[in-house]
Amino acid sequence: MPERTDFTRFTVTVPEEIGRLIASEAERAGVSQSAWVADAAAAKVRNLRLREALAEIDQTLEGGPITEEEIAAATRRWQTPSAAADEQQAS
Protein backbone atom coordinates (compact mmCIF):
# COMPACT_ATOMS: atom_id res chain seq x y z
CA MET A 1 0.00 0.00 0.00
CA PRO A 2 1.56 3.36 -1.00
CA GLU A 3 2.21 5.84 1.75
CA ARG A 4 -0.10 8.83 1.77
CA THR A 5 1.62 12.16 1.32
CA ASP A 6 -1.24 14.50 2.13
CA PHE A 7 -0.68 14.40 5.88
CA THR A 8 1.67 16.22 8.21
CA ARG A 9 3.15 14.21 11.05
CA PHE A 10 4.07 15.77 14.37
CA THR A 11 4.20 14.87 18.05
CA VAL A 12 1.75 16.24 20.58
CA THR A 13 2.30 15.98 24.31
CA VAL A 14 -0.80 15.99 26.51
CA PRO A 15 -1.41 15.45 30.21
CA GLU A 16 -1.92 11.78 31.15
CA GLU A 17 -5.62 12.19 31.88
CA ILE A 18 -6.23 13.80 28.47
CA GLY A 19 -4.29 10.95 26.85
CA ARG A 20 -6.50 8.40 28.60
CA LEU A 21 -9.62 10.27 27.50
CA ILE A 22 -8.39 10.42 23.90
CA ALA A 23 -7.65 6.70 23.91
CA SER A 24 -11.05 5.91 25.42
CA GLU A 25 -13.00 8.16 23.04
CA ALA A 26 -11.08 6.91 20.00
CA GLU A 27 -11.80 3.30 20.96
CA ARG A 28 -15.45 4.12 21.54
CA ALA A 29 -15.63 5.81 18.11
CA GLY A 30 -13.82 2.89 16.48
CA VAL A 31 -11.01 5.03 15.08
CA SER A 32 -7.31 5.40 15.75
CA GLN A 33 -6.13 7.90 18.31
CA SER A 34 -4.45 9.80 15.49
CA ALA A 35 -7.73 10.01 13.54
CA TRP A 36 -9.61 11.09 16.65
CA VAL A 37 -7.10 13.85 17.44
CA ALA A 38 -7.07 15.01 13.79
CA ASP A 39 -10.88 15.22 13.83
CA ALA A 40 -10.83 17.12 17.14
CA ALA A 41 -8.25 19.57 15.76
CA ALA A 42 -10.31 20.09 12.58
CA ALA A 43 -13.40 20.75 14.71
CA LYS A 44 -11.45 23.32 16.74
CA VAL A 45 -10.31 25.09 13.57
CA ARG A 46 -13.90 25.13 12.23
CA ASN A 47 -15.09 26.63 15.51
CA LEU A 48 -12.41 29.31 15.39
CA ARG A 49 -13.32 30.18 11.79
CA LEU A 50 -17.00 30.33 12.74
CA ARG A 51 -16.17 32.66 15.65
CA GLU A 52 -14.21 34.90 13.25
CA ALA A 53 -17.07 34.87 10.74
CA LEU A 54 -19.59 35.74 13.45
CA ALA A 55 -17.41 38.62 14.60
CA GLU A 56 -17.34 39.94 11.03
CA ILE A 57 -21.10 39.55 10.78
CA ASP A 58 -21.52 41.40 14.05
CA GLN A 59 -19.50 44.30 12.62
CA THR A 60 -21.59 44.15 9.45
CA LEU A 61 -24.83 44.40 11.41
CA GLU A 62 -23.89 47.94 12.31
CA GLY A 63 -24.07 48.71 8.60
CA GLY A 64 -27.49 47.12 7.94
CA PRO A 65 -28.95 43.70 7.24
CA ILE A 66 -26.72 40.75 6.37
CA THR A 67 -26.59 40.08 2.64
CA GLU A 68 -26.75 36.66 0.98
CA GLU A 69 -23.15 37.18 -0.15
CA GLU A 70 -22.01 37.74 3.45
CA ILE A 71 -23.85 34.62 4.60
CA ALA A 72 -22.24 32.56 1.82
CA ALA A 73 -18.76 33.88 2.68
CA ALA A 74 -19.23 33.10 6.38
CA THR A 75 -20.52 29.62 5.57
CA ARG A 76 -17.49 28.87 3.40
CA ARG A 77 -15.14 29.96 6.17
CA TRP A 78 -16.52 27.69 8.85
CA GLN A 79 -17.19 24.65 6.68
CA THR A 80 -13.60 24.26 5.45
CA PRO A 81 -10.62 24.99 7.70
CA SER A 82 -8.52 26.13 4.73
CA ALA A 83 -11.25 28.31 3.20
CA ALA A 84 -10.33 31.39 5.21
CA ALA A 85 -6.69 31.12 4.13
CA ASP A 86 -7.78 30.67 0.50
CA GLU A 87 -10.00 33.76 0.66
CA GLN A 88 -7.24 35.82 2.24
CA GLN A 89 -4.81 34.81 -0.52
CA ALA A 90 -7.38 35.72 -3.18
CA SER A 91 -7.88 39.23 -1.82
Side-chain angles (χ1 to χ4, degrees):
M1 179 174 178
E3 187 174 320
R4 294 189 63 168
T5 59
D6 57 342
F7 289 93
T8 299
R9 180 179 293 244
F10 58 95
T11 302
V12 177
T13 303
V14 297
E16 285 184 37
E17 178 60 21
I18 298 297
R20 285 191 292 273
L21 290 170
I22 290 169
S24 174
E25 292 301 320
E27 183 178 346
R28 189 166 75 148
V31 298
S32 69
Q33 291 176 26
S34 180
W36 193 91
V37 170
D39 186 55
K44 177 70 174 185
V45 170
R46 283 191 303 272
N47 287 336
L48 291 170
R49 297 296 178 253
L50 178 57
R51 184 175 298 141
E52 291 168 359
L54 290 173
E56 285 182 31
I57 289 171
D58 188 44
Q59 291 175 348
T60 302
L61 287 176
E62 295 175 10
I66 301 171
T67 67
E68 290 297 322
E69 182 179 292
E70 291 166 334
I71 292 171
T75 300
R76 283 191 303 275
R77 282 195 188 117
W78 70 266
Q79 286 180 333
T80 308
S82 64
D86 293 345
E87 284 187 15
Q88 287 177 349
Q89 289 178 355
S91 57

